Amino acid sequence: MSEPQPHLIVLFGATGDLARRKLLPGILHLLQSRLADDFRVIGVGLDDLDDDGFRRFAQQACREFGARPVRSEQWEAFAPKLHYVNVEDGPQALATEAAKLEAELGGEPRRLHYLSVPPKAALDVVHTLDEAGLVDRSRIIMEKPFGTDLASARALNASIHEVFDEQQIFRIDHFLGKEAALNILAFRFANGLFEPIWNRTFIDHVQIDVPETLSLQGRSGFYEGTGAFRDMVVTHLFQILAFMAMEPPTSLDSDSISEEKNKVFRSMLPLVPTEVVRGQYQGYRDEDGVSPDSETETFVALKAEIDNWRWAGVPFYLRTGKRMAEGARIISIAFREPPKSMFPQGSGVGLAGPDHLTFDLADSSKLSLSFYGKRPGPGMRLDKLSLQFAMQETERAGDVLEAYERLILDAMKGERTLFTTAEGIERLWEISQPLLDDPPPVRVYQPSTWGPNSVHQLIAPRAWRLPFERTWRNPNPTGA
């Protein structure tokens, strides 16, 4: 991983929702925190703006969506770095502006191109960068989805590789940019306590559960051709699964970690359509832009299996959906129960299920280990207890980077650990093909529920962890 260097950042889709909510505030924080070296930003979009108009847009975005207050002196340092090119002015206008700003930076600054554009526009942007002469010394960040099946993923990768080398391409997954996701690696490989039991001998099953309360929020045009599986499972949940299941890398460099993740993907068995539940919330077909007879799933739950020495026979249950009862990002590892209990009936052992290790991947990340312990008092009554940790309890909680901030900074440095490879994404589409070829019918579920009832048959005789019977402890109950 290289040290920070001066950068020209070219942000396509600069006036879109992602840029407004995450990218522009994130780039500002990289300047505020001095994590990034000097840079210039060219915003590229369809809106009829000049530099001053783009700066006003960015200032409003940073004030409205930035996680930290924007002081006037910070904005005055940031604003002159922002420039704008209308995409209709063509590659030459982009090349001219880039040459001017690179001369200001001096030397040969690196280039970072962020494609915050719909998937169908990605190749047009790639060719624009080629025609503008901005491929050398560059890295390109691409948003999901990376194709819609194996054939389209291979075609997309082949087309991009005509312009950019694989080492230049950073396929982004903001789930992996979260502090809690990285903490999985630290938890597993920095502690001698858990890695020896991180296998089929001690673990019964794993759940990765990402319900959302949100609806489409104006994204029906994208969502109708995508659905929950393509939108969330291939690009997010499978990536989290790889972090959970990978073997220890030889080092923490990005190539070693990517190789171990790809080994997991190679070991995954093709999905079985009868072990997948697809759902659609009541009222989805009434949304603007949705077909009245749409079969697009807004919910999916499935069983995945990894056929290797560590995980053979351990099911991984994945669930995600729109308009569900709660919003959460939970990984739950269920340990095997003791083969025989010496505790008498009525003691309470086993009533609350197996012991669990739970990661909460929300922004306020938490970790919990549940276990049975004796209830104080006479006799032998057991209760389910837990050890809990919250990131906010540490004195370094203020140092947490938001996901997009971390990923932009990593791409600047050439750190590929949290990005996906062409091989990995193509393999995931390969194991998904049986489901895409023969999808089960969608089942209607009511909004603000946990999906179709058949999800319980999918996981039986086990049970879903969400909704939790117990709540997370408040690490700061007094509010002081």
Side-chain angles (χ1 to χ4, degrees):
M1 185 171 67
S2 63
E3 292 300 315
Q5 295 176 273
H7 267 78
L8 173 68
I9 302 173
V10 184
L11 175 56
F12 289 86
T15 56
D17 191 59
L18 179 61
R20 186 167 62 100
R21 291 176 177 269
K22 296 294 183 181
L23 304 182
L24 290 169
I27 293 170
L28 171 59
H29 181 243
L30 294 180
L31 175 68
Q32 292 173 329
S33 60
R34 300 183 181 178
L35 291 171
D37 205 331
D38 195 13
F39 58 79
R40 299 292 185 275
V41 178
I42 301 177
V44 182
L46 292 168
D47 292 79
D48 187 15
L49 298 174
D50 57 12
D51 289 353
D52 288 337
F54 181 53
R55 289 165 185 163
R56 288 191 295 271
F57 172 87
Q59 184 177 27
Q60 178 62 32
C62 292
R63 285 178 173 171
E64 185 175 356
F65 297 107
R68 306 158 186 89
V70 181
R71 298 195 300 270
S72 58
E73 64 271 19
Q74 293 171 332
W75 178 255
E76 289 167 4
F78 185 52
K81 301 180 184 295
L82 300 176
H83 302 266
Y84 188 80
V85 170
N86 192 308
V87 69
E88 294 183 353
D89 292 337
Q92 187 55 49
L94 178 59
T96 301
E97 187 70 15
K100 181 186 77 172
L101 298 179
E102 288 185 348
E104 289 181 13
L105 289 168
E108 292 188 332
R110 293 209 64 92
R111 298 158 174 162
L112 182 67
H113 309 307
Y114 198 116
L115 275 59
S116 178
V117 298
K120 62 184 179 182
L123 284 180
D124 290 338
V125 172
V126 167
H127 294 309
T128 295
L129 290 168
D130 191 18
E131 293 174 29
L134 296 177
V135 175
D136 292 341
R137 311 191 312 273
S138 74
R139 300 181 179 114
I140 179 171
I141 298 178
M142 301 193 67
E143 281 284 343
K144 67 175 180 73
F146 317 112
T148 56
D149 55 20
L150 179 59
S152 62
R154 284 175 172 168
L156 178 61
N157 283 326
S159 296
I160 297 170
H161 288 156
E162 291 176 359
V163 179
F164 290 94
D165 294 335
E166 177 63 22
Q167 289 298 312
Q168 294 178 279
I169 304 168
F170 288 70
R171 299 169 185 83
I172 197 167
D173 173 16
H174 71 271
F175 268 49
L176 294 187
K178 294 181 177 295
E179 196 80 34
L182 283 171
N183 210 29
I184 296 171
L185 296 183
F187 187 88
R188 286 189 59 188
F189 302 130
N191 300 295
L193 179 61
F194 289 100
E195 184 57 25
I197 62 171
W198 208 266
N199 56 57
R200 59 187 172 86
T201 305
F202 298 96
I203 292 177
D204 178 79
H205 71 279
V206 177
Q207 295 181 33
I208 302 175
D209 209 349
V210 187
E212 298 181 292
T213 58
L214 303 174
S215 59
L216 297 188
Q217 295 187 311
R219 298 170 67 229
S220 61
F222 162 79
Y223 205 83
E224 262 292 84
T226 306
F229 179 79
R230 291 179 172 92
D231 184 40
M232 290 291 293
V233 176
V234 175
T235 51
H236 291 326
L237 275 62
F238 280 160
Q239 303 299 325
I240 294 293
L241 181 151
F243 264 34
M244 291 296 306
M246 63 187 277
E247 296 295 323
T250 54
S251 70
L252 283 181
D253 67 87
S254 55
D255 287 343
S256 298
I257 292 176
S258 293
E259 174 59 18
E260 295 304 332
K261 287 172 57 184
N262 285 341
K263 286 181 181 177
V264 173
F265 299 147
R266 291 176 208 142
S267 300
M268 290 179 67
L269 297 175
L271 298 181
V272 178
T274 56
E275 295 176 341
V276 178
V277 176
R278 297 168 68 235
Q280 186 185 92
Y281 66 79
Q282 182 71 45
Y284 171 78
R285 296 178 180 180
D286 299 327
E287 301 264 10
D288 290 340
V290 174
S291 170
D293 56 356
S294 172
E295 291 295 309
T296 299
E297 80 279 356
T298 62
F299 170 97
V300 64
L302 60 89
K303 183 173 82 170
E305 295 185 87
I306 302 172
D307 191 25
N308 63 16
W309 188 271
R310 182 184 291 258
W311 296 113
V314 177
F316 287 71
Y317 296 103
L318 282 55
R319 177 173 66 169
T320 186
K322 300 286 188 185
R323 296 293 305 276
M324 297 186 69
E326 295 177 19
R329 295 163 184 170
I330 296 294
I331 304 170
S332 186
I333 297 100
F335 293 101
R336 294 192 185 279
E337 298 188 66
K340 180 175 175 59
S341 174
M342 77 280 292
F343 296 95
Q345 285 191 347
S347 65
V349 67
L351 290 180
D355 297 338
H356 285 88
L357 176 64
T358 303
F359 294 88
D360 184 344
L361 301 188
D363 293 332
S364 55
S365 59
K366 306 180 186 75
L367 183 152
S368 173
L369 177 63
S370 69
F371 56 94
Y372 286 98
K374 182 184 178 302
R375 181 185 299 177
M380 183 58 77
R381 289 284 299 170
L382 304 182
D383 287 328
K384 204 61 177 287
L385 309 174
S386 67
L387 298 173
Q388 295 187 7
F389 163 79
M391 188 66 68
Q392 284 68 23
E393 296 175 356
T394 73
E395 60 184 17
R396 305 299 297 271
D399 295 345
V400 173
L401 290 177
E402 291 199 346
Y404 283 99
E405 295 170 358
R406 178 186 304 281
L407 292 166
I408 292 171
L409 181 62
D410 280 0
M412 284 181 166
K413 294 179 177 181
E415 170 55 60
R416 304 175 57 84
T417 299
L418 302 178
F419 296 86
T420 57
T421 66
E423 178 192 342
I425 201 67
E426 289 180 15
R427 172 58 183 164
L428 290 176
W429 284 121
E430 185 178 5
I431 66 169
S432 301
Q433 202 62 48
L435 172 62
L436 302 178
D437 291 340
D438 186 24
V442 293
R443 302 173 184 271
V444 174
Y445 63 97
Q446 295 300 315
S448 301
T449 65
W450 290 98
N453 289 332
S454 50
V455 296
H456 302 296
Q457 284 77 52
L458 173 68
I459 201 171
R462 305 172 180 95
W464 293 99
R465 291 294 319 283
L466 290 177
F468 284 139
E469 294 180 0
R470 297 178 304 280
T471 59
W472 293 95
R473 285 196 295 270
N474 183 357
N476 190 20
T478 64

